[in-house]
Amino acid sequence: MGVTGIGGLFLRSSDPEGRAAWYRTHLGIDAGGDAVWQQDAGMTVFAPFAADSDYFAADQSFMLNLRVDDLDALVTSLEAAGIDVDRRPEWETTDYGRFARIHDPEGLPIELWEPPADA
């Protein structure tokens, strides 16, 4: 008996329908209303960070990390849609995978993570 996974993520929003549409359009996530997003099985990290961590902005209580299978293609698509994507050389690792960061329309930080091929 125990928890088997994350059942939902609920965000307060000044424009719930617009924000859900952004997630559907740019990230392919069935978001909003009665939508149910069927995910691929895989690793999930659930990690509280120190209150003074600089891993993401101090004014955000959490950061969403999404697993992706082709980071370069997704980044190209996001940039073509006018979405700023932050990439840094130190985020290109062989141990943990590759990362990029974006923000949703209301400023929520989103880390895009392509796990290493052998994960």
Side-chain angles (χ1 to χ4, degrees):
M1 182 168 114
V3 174
T4 61
I6 295 173
L9 176 66
F10 307 98
L11 311 169
R12 294 187 192 281
S13 180
S14 62
D15 180 8
E17 291 178 16
R19 197 174 195 184
W22 185 90
Y23 279 88
R24 286 191 304 271
T25 300
H26 300 294
L27 299 176
I29 296 173
D30 292 328
D34 294 330
V36 175
W37 175 33
Q38 295 293 331
Q39 308 169 55
D40 292 341
M43 299 178 282
T44 299
V45 176
F46 188 95
F49 277 61
D52 62 352
S53 172
D54 64 356
Y55 194 68
F56 55 93
D59 66 338
Q60 296 290 333
S61 60
F62 71 95
M63 177 176 64
L64 181 59
N65 173 292
L66 299 172
R67 253 181 294 118
V68 304
D69 62 5
D70 188 344
L71 183 62
D72 294 327
L74 181 55
V75 165
T76 298
S77 172
L78 293 167
E79 289 177 336
I83 297 169
D84 290 330
V85 179
D86 187 11
R87 296 186 87 173
R88 300 180 187 173
E90 62 267 27
W91 294 347
E92 299 283 330
T93 73
T94 54
D95 293 337
Y96 301 109
R98 304 170 62 224
F99 300 86
R101 298 234 181 119
I102 61 174
H103 290 84
D104 82 0
E106 295 190 28
L108 178 70
I110 300 170
E111 184 170 66
L112 305 171
W113 170 45
E114 183 179 324
D118 61 353

